[in-house]
Amino acid sequence: MAGIYLHIPFCRQACHYCDFHFSVSHKGREEVLAAMRQELNLRAAELQGQTVRTLYFGGGTPSLLTRDELMQFFDVLYAEYAILPEAEITLEANPDDITDAYFRELRNTPVNRLSIGIQSFRAEDLLEMNRAHTPAQALSCAPRAADAGFGNISIDLIFGWPRMEQEDWQQNVATAFSLPITHLSCYGLTIEPRTALSWQIVKGLRHPPDEEKAAMQYEYLLGEAERLGFPWYEISNFSKPGFQSKHNTAYWQGVDYLGIGPSAHSFNGNQRSWNVRSNAAYLSGMQRGQREFESEVLSSAEKFHELMLTSLRVREGLWLGKLRQEYGEAITGQVLEAAQPFISKGWMLRENERLSLSPAGLLLADKITSELFII
Ligand code: SF4
């Protein structure tokens, strides 16, 4: 089983916090999309006949694609890859792009899951974030998607935004759960270097985020999500039962995936690779019939870290049987010893063959996980 990620590297405008690869100039768009189809052709053999269980159009802004542009991708995907009929096929969409007509067109494609980048329902946040949509568009998007026949709708929110108070966040959470959604992704704001937000904070034009407030907002979200039937299944992800993102879950389970397009990452169990983070360099490489990328083969210690990082992010946690099988009894014993102080504090749970973070431990996930990097 494998997944395919397609990175659409164009956006309408630059959100101030965003560190993903994208271009607001759409010059050369047709050529880049053609090069991505070429990359799909070129790399089909890499999955060695594995069936594809998930396709994910991310970005950037995939909802800038017309139905014809999407169908051109599907033509190559279905011709070159063994895609399961029940595959989960997600398209990230921004509220400002999706008119009712666009929803209807999307329903006439294989896309069966939408991930809508709402981030906040509050006008002042959207303005400060430099999002291209309005609160009215944020509010109407999921209901219109449901009316158009989409039954699997996820939305994204950001917590910890500077000046977002607890009651503002509570209102955002209540609004999110009042919508016809099956899944919610919530990310704490991180200040990435080289973003407008980072520059504004350095220049004193904006307050830095308040970690305590962000932690309170996350705790509130955990409680509300559980109460309203969207239990957390990964540190930033909440869903109704049966609606966990199969694509992201596969990442956390170490399943192979192919990343297509500028800056997209791929993984084959042993090696990670990433395409060049420039539309022009990507295009010129593909025009020479060459994929411009870098790669690294994971060392045994890196694989171990990867296992700890990914398994402790998910509610299911780390299966000790798997750890024993892959790393032996001695390493497993050392991990349990390192985990003991956190278990005693109530930040980790040990249930038979499973070691996981408790809700209180989720807030300290990075610190706890790094303490368990015993090799
Ligand atoms: S729309 Fe998404 S990818 Fe584009 S700038 Fe905003 S957050 Fe980044």
Side-chain angles (χ1 to χ4, degrees), residues 23 38 47 50 52 112 128 150-151 162 184 187 201 208 215 229 234-235 239 246 255-256 289 314 324 326 336 365 372:
S23 163
Q38 187 188 345
L47 291 187
Q50 291 186 71
V52 174
N112 53 28
E128 288 184 6
F150 283 97
L184 176 67
Y187 301 99
I201 290 173
E234 194 269 348
I235 208 156
S239 81
K246 293 190 179 84
V255 169
D256 292 5
V314 293
R324 233 176 247 115
E326 291 183 14
L336 286 173
L372 303 191

Side-chain angles (χ1 to χ4, degrees), residues 68 74-75 93 96 118 155 169 173 186 199-200 212 214 221 281 291 301 320 328 361:
D68 285 351
F74 285 119
D75 288 346
D96 43 302
I118 286 180
I155 63 172
W169 174 243
V173 171
C186 288
W199 181 86
Q200 289 164 351
E212 256 177 56
L221 169 69
R291 173 184 165 227
L320 297 172

Side-chain angles (χ1 to χ4, degrees), residues 69-88:
E69 286 170 333
L70 266 174
M71 290 311 295
Q72 286 172 354
F73 277 119
F74 285 119
D75 288 346
V76 183
L77 284 160
Y78 282 100
E80 298 289 342
Y81 295 87
I83 298 168
L84 286 179
E86 68 274 24
E88 176 190 273

Side-chain angles (χ1 to χ4, degrees), residues 11 13-15 17-18 20 22 59-61 94 131:
C11 289
Q13 64 188 49
C15 302
Y17 55 87
C18 179
F20 294 129
F22 65 91
T61 309
N94 279 347
R131 297 289 299 177

Side-chain angles (χ1 to χ4, degrees), residues 7-8 10-22 24 59-61 92 94 119 129-131:
H7 188 86
I8 309 300
F10 300 102
C11 289
R12 209 176 280 287
Q13 64 188 49
C15 302
H16 284 168
Y17 55 87
C18 179
D19 187 35
F20 294 129
H21 169 66
F22 65 91
V24 289
T61 309
E92 285 183 355
N94 279 347
Q119 317 313 349
M129 291 175 183
N130 202 37
R131 297 289 299 177

Side-chain angles (χ1 to χ4, degrees), residues 242-257:
F243 286 95
Q244 293 90 347
S245 158
K246 293 190 179 84
H247 188 79
N248 290 341
T249 300
Y251 286 153
W252 305 317
Q253 290 172 339
V255 169
D256 292 5
Y257 57 87

Side-chain angles (χ1 to χ4, degrees), residues 315 342-343 346-351 354-359:
R315 190 165 189 153
F342 304 121
I343 297 172
W347 296 343
M348 293 195 89
L349 305 168
R350 162 101 195 258
E351 288 157 333
R354 204 164 66 93
L355 185 65
S356 60
L357 291 172
S358 69

